[in-house]
Amino acid sequence: MKIGGVAVPDLLVAGGVVVSVSGCLLGVFKYRAWSRKCQLKKKWAEAGENVVVLHQFPRPGKIPNLSPFPIKLETFLRAMKIEYVNDFAEPMSEKQKCPWITINGQDVSDSQLVVEFLTDKLGKDMDSHLTEEQAAHARAI
């Protein structure tokens, strides 16, 4: 049987070749992405013990980040005197969130979850000096 002057077995072979080449190319791209991620993880591990690597979008010039969430997280890190380094190479986490952190090889996404994680892990609480009434007022505002 022929379709457009080409035998069906020839079409099947050509289709198989296209699928095989596409699969190989996809594999190469996935390997390169994985290899790049491994190199970045090595770099992040060199930051040190209990040093937060803050992943965020690059800053436009010398002004703070344009997104409010990285500003919130960076302000928290500064206020709590938590040692951190910025990383602009990989702004999006695996959950597609920005900002996110890496600390001691562990990744945490979403600015609010990061604040809660660091509060628990490092024992740094912004409201520890407040009375119960003052904490309630702060939460209400």
Side-chain angles (χ1 to χ4, degrees):
M1 179 173 183
K2 291 188 175 189
I3 299 176
V6 180
V8 172
D10 292 338
L11 286 174
L12 293 175
V13 169
V17 169
V18 169
V19 169
S20 298
V21 170
S22 299
C24 288
L25 286 175
L26 180 64
V28 167
F29 288 125
K30 287 281 192 183
Y31 173 76
R32 284 186 179 172
W34 173 80
S35 176
R36 180 177 175 272
K37 189 78 166 193
C38 286
Q39 289 172 349
L40 287 173
K41 282 190 181 256
K42 266 187 204 173
K43 178 184 163 192
W44 301 334
E46 293 171 359
E49 184 77 18
N50 287 337
V51 176
V52 174
V53 180
L54 174 59
H55 309 278
Q56 60 179 323
F57 296 118
R59 294 183 177 143
K62 297 186 182 210
I63 63 174
N65 201 302
L66 295 177
S67 175
F69 302 109
I71 291 174
K72 168 188 169 181
L73 191 50
E74 197 163 2
T75 301
F76 173 79
L77 293 171
R78 287 180 182 172
M80 301 286 39
K81 295 181 174 61
I82 297 173
E83 189 178 353
Y84 74 98
V85 293
N86 282 308
D87 174 62
F88 305 110
E90 191 74 27
M92 299 300 281
S93 70
E94 291 179 6
K95 295 180 179 180
Q96 300 305 306
K97 298 271 190 180
C98 179
W100 60 288
I101 65 162
T102 301
I103 182 168
N104 302 332
Q106 187 173 3
D107 298 337
V108 183
S109 305
D110 192 283
S111 60
Q112 186 59 39
L113 295 177
V114 168
V115 169
E116 292 170 9
F117 173 81
L118 291 174
T119 299
D120 292 342
K121 180 162 177 74
L122 301 178
K124 305 257 183 168
D125 185 14
M126 291 186 94
D127 299 332
S128 62
H129 67 285
L130 299 177
T131 65
E132 205 172 296
E133 183 180 347
Q134 290 172 328
H137 284 293
R139 183 156 182 98
I141 294 174

